[in-house]
Amino acid sequence: MALVFPSFTACSNFVKVLNVQNGDLKYTIGEAEDESRATSFAISHDDSQFVVTYANDLIKKYSLANNEATLDRQFRGTHNAPVLITRFSPDSSRLATGSADFSVKMWDLKKQFCTHNLKGKSVVSAMCFIGNDRLLVGYTEGDVKLFDLENKGIQPTEWKIHTSHISTILPLTLPGNAPGAVIVSRDRTYSILNVETKEKLKLIPIFEPVEDAVFLRNPQNLLTVGEEGVLKVWDIWSGRMLKKKAIIGKRIDTVLYREATGQILCVTCDQNLLFVDENTLTMTKQLSGFNDEIFASTFLSEKSNCLVVATNSPEIRIYDMNSWSCHLLQGHEESVLSVDSPPWDEFLFASSSKDNSIIVWRLRDPSMKLEEEEKDAEFEAPIKVAKVAVATGHTNSVAAVQFSKHKDKPFILSVSDDGTLKLWPIQKILTHFGGESLKLSASFTIVAHHKLINCVEVSPNDKICITGSMDKTAKLWHIDKDTMNLGIAGTLSGHKKGVWLAKFAPNSQNVATCSGDSTIKIFSLLDKTCLMTLSGHDFAILALHFVRNGNKLLSADSGGLMKVWNLETGVCDQTIEAHEDKVWHIELIERARKDDEYVTVGADGKIIVWKDVSEEVQLEEARKRAERAANQQTLANFMDQEKYEEALMFALDLAQPFHCLTVINHLTHRGETEKLGKVLKSLSSSQLSMLMDFTAQWNTNTRTYNASQQVIHYMLKTYHPDDLLKLPGINRILQALIPYTNRHYERLSKLKSDAAYLNYVYSRMRLD
């Protein structure tokens, strides 16, 4: 079984602990409400302690156990600037904090005080312990100092080591028992030091500004990362590059290595996590750390199980929904606004962008072997995508793009902020599987609206399409697949603000539109009349999707709310707080032999997967009804057979106060309350406690208080008060019983007094 280790990542003012296998959040350390930003953190070598530092000079120490962090203590670091680096000693008894105030403070974690204040001449860039009593510190200006901590004074013995570096450095302790260290610098060199003699042994060029480095399983191999996004493995003594691999086209800031799994973890400058195999240096997984605003998404197929996402960036993000590994796809020059995939191809999808272009992509089938040209690709990734075709011709941002629903004479429709609707035949794409990308030409262009067009949707039979615009209308267009032309088919009006989206019903001649006026309208395609208007949202409605074969409708608004509508009644069945900001898109995840799922994406950068549990809810309700009927029948059978003890115990086992009340009322109405005492004798302490709890509830109502008082009466006759005081939760029950019992007593006393007065008045008025 593979070992699974958590990943710790700082997120503003708290730390997230993730499952590295799928990116799921295990737990968090710190409070999201904290005002100060976390600047550094460290984990002890035995994984039992965790320290995080904040910009306000606060240091918090936690204990790690059972997938949770417990705060042990917090204290001030007494630095004059934020702490940038934190390190534990090998035995986890000491903590070093390096700050932008040029100083390093050494803390004794057992005695809980600062033992040393180590000063430098520039900002501390890195630290590493050499044993438990020596600390090697690097500074941004290239200085390196070695401190001997055995000196008990506040100023320990220190040596400045001349390394010839002129830029930020990173010290690493040599593996094994070698008395040395490697100093890696951004000045494109690294040096080897003898810690015992404080001498530089070698200075070796590496021809790249290095951001981070680690030793691999072989103690002679040093892995470096930097500006080029290339992993390089060096023989530390000869300076010979053993191998290199380009895994991404951007800077890598951090690299970590876990010997137990042979896995390398890289962190890029745009907050993405790259998992790399140690032996091949190929990327096995990528987790995206920042989505910004998400405009659209499309699910390719069950076979690929990939979700394509358009974010507020030129890069398309492709997520493997099994592991949520993310592949960043470059091709557009500006933000991607829309993505879509056809139902007739499992690996094809298209994207449209603010750069006025449309690109058609094909995902490589995971079951196919790599072609030679793919093996020689610049970057290797677990998800591989090829650019199939490019379409240009719009003069403004392409707001939406959609494929035809059928493979026969396929096409793409696109709408733009220039007000035009274009039709692009794509028959030649079906047989294009390699080489240079094709150039698509539009067969038909029409000015569809005089204001911005927000959406385009193709009908299930490919015969018509609909566009929605900020001119408050939605227009229907005939599609002639023989000539690849379009013709006006009608206009749907009635909204008071712009139409954001239109969707065809799957099994009826209807279409739904949503608008900035916070309403949804259902139109008939036969006579273009409005059949229904759904109101209930407080904000502009941006997304729609038919569910349950068109019997229900999902809608989402700019306030983050999602509603489920019953189209037979026009009533909202459920309202869900889905996102913290605008919800831009709802996507169906359809898989064979599985329940449908839905994905929502929005301006909060979140991708949320929802499951349709309507059938499960109905089955559960039916099961509960059947169980309730069976229980009622069983209780009735006990009552008919005068098995009151069994009836009451059965009701208590079900934890049903109503059934218990039924048994007690039955005994009361039949004048057989004496049997209640016999029943109470057979109850266990937990059953007695539960019955007393029910009694306290009945005692609050004048309709059921009599049963409550009967139970209390026979409870006191059957059990000694000292025994009752030993029941679980009896104090809470008594506090609830006493006030209402006093109220009932006062009411009955007044009733008795009034009855006596009435009897007296009647006797004095009676004529002999």
Side-chain angles (χ1 to χ4, degrees), residues 434-497:
E436 295 184 1
S437 57
L438 301 174
K439 176 71 174 179
L440 298 181
S441 299
S443 63
F444 189 85
T445 302
I446 188 171
V447 178
H449 296 268
H450 294 290
K451 289 189 177 181
L452 299 179
I453 305 177
N454 294 321
C455 66
V456 61
E457 176 80 7
V458 180
S459 66
N461 59 8
D462 281 350
K463 291 185 177 180
I464 59 174
C465 68
I466 186 171
T467 56
S469 169
M470 296 306 291
D471 63 7
K472 307 177 187 177
T473 67
K475 291 186 178 181
L476 296 167
W477 306 87
H478 288 297
I479 302 174
D480 188 340
K481 297 181 72 172
D482 294 327
T483 61
M484 288 294 174
N485 288 336
L486 300 171
I488 187 69
T491 301
L492 307 178
S493 58
H495 283 293
K496 297 179 181 179
K497 291 186 179 181

Side-chain angles (χ1 to χ4, degrees), residues 121-333:
K121 294 184 178 180
S122 60
V123 175
V124 178
S125 63
M127 300 182 298
C128 75
F129 276 91
I130 300 175
N132 293 310
D133 299 320
R134 287 185 291 182
L135 182 70
L136 195 62
V137 182
Y139 300 89
T140 55
E141 293 184 359
D143 294 334
V144 179
K145 286 188 176 184
L146 178 64
F147 295 91
D148 188 346
L149 305 176
E150 288 183 338
N151 186 351
K152 302 301 182 181
I154 197 66
Q155 286 297 333
T157 305
E158 67 175 72
W159 295 271
K160 181 177 180 180
I161 302 176
H162 299 282
T163 60
S164 303
H165 292 298
I166 59 173
S167 185
T168 303
I169 60 93
L170 169 70
L172 296 170
T173 306
L174 281 175
N177 298 319
V182 173
I183 307 296
V184 184
S185 173
R186 286 201 183 105
D187 63 7
R188 303 170 183 260
T189 64
Y190 74 85
S191 57
I192 303 176
L193 306 180
N194 186 316
V195 178
E196 300 298 335
T197 63
K198 289 76 177 178
E199 294 179 353
K200 179 180 67 177
L201 302 179
K202 282 190 176 183
L203 181 66
I204 300 173
I206 50 179
F207 310 108
E208 179 191 13
V210 174
E211 296 292 332
D212 202 359
V214 291
F215 284 105
L216 299 180
R217 192 185 307 271
N218 185 339
Q220 303 297 319
N221 294 350
L222 178 70
L223 175 69
T224 62
V225 296
E227 295 283 348
E228 301 173 2
V230 179
L231 301 182
K232 298 179 181 179
V233 180
W234 307 84
D235 182 288
I236 59 171
W237 293 104
S238 66
R240 182 169 59 92
M241 185 189 299
L242 302 177
K243 54 183 173 179
K244 70 174 182 177
K245 191 75 169 183
I247 61 170
I248 197 166
K250 57 190 68 175
R251 189 180 77 245
I252 299 176
D253 289 335
T254 305
V255 62
L256 302 172
Y257 174 67
R258 190 84 186 196
E259 184 176 352
T261 59
Q263 198 172 48
I264 300 168
L265 174 62
C266 301
V267 184
T268 65
C269 59
D270 55 356
Q271 306 175 16
N272 294 319
L273 304 181
L274 313 179
F275 295 86
V276 179
D277 180 77
E278 176 188 5
N279 297 321
T280 62
L281 295 186
T282 55
M283 182 166 40
T284 59
K285 185 189 304 182
Q286 179 172 348
L287 298 180
S288 177
F290 183 60
N291 280 324
D292 199 5
E293 189 167 7
I294 304 177
F295 296 127
S297 65
T298 184
F299 180 68
L300 296 188
S301 63
E302 183 177 7
K303 187 175 183 179
S304 68
N305 202 31
C306 286
L307 183 73
V308 181
V309 173
T311 65
N312 189 22
S313 75
E315 296 175 330
I316 300 171
R317 300 181 182 234
I318 305 176
Y319 287 92
D320 181 339
M321 295 189 70
N322 290 321
S323 63
W324 288 102
S325 174
C326 177
H327 174 71
L328 301 182
L329 182 60
Q330 298 179 350
H332 287 286
E333 297 178 357

Side-chain angles (χ1 to χ4, degrees), residues 688-715:
L688 285 174
S689 178
M690 183 180 295
L691 182 58
M692 288 291 288
D693 200 1
F694 293 163
T695 300
Q697 299 176 31
W698 302 333
N699 201 42
T700 61
N701 194 315
T702 55
R703 295 181 180 180
T704 57
Y705 86 95
N706 185 44
S708 173
Q709 294 300 318
Q710 291 285 354
V711 172
I712 295 173
H713 173 71
Y714 284 101
M715 192 80 75

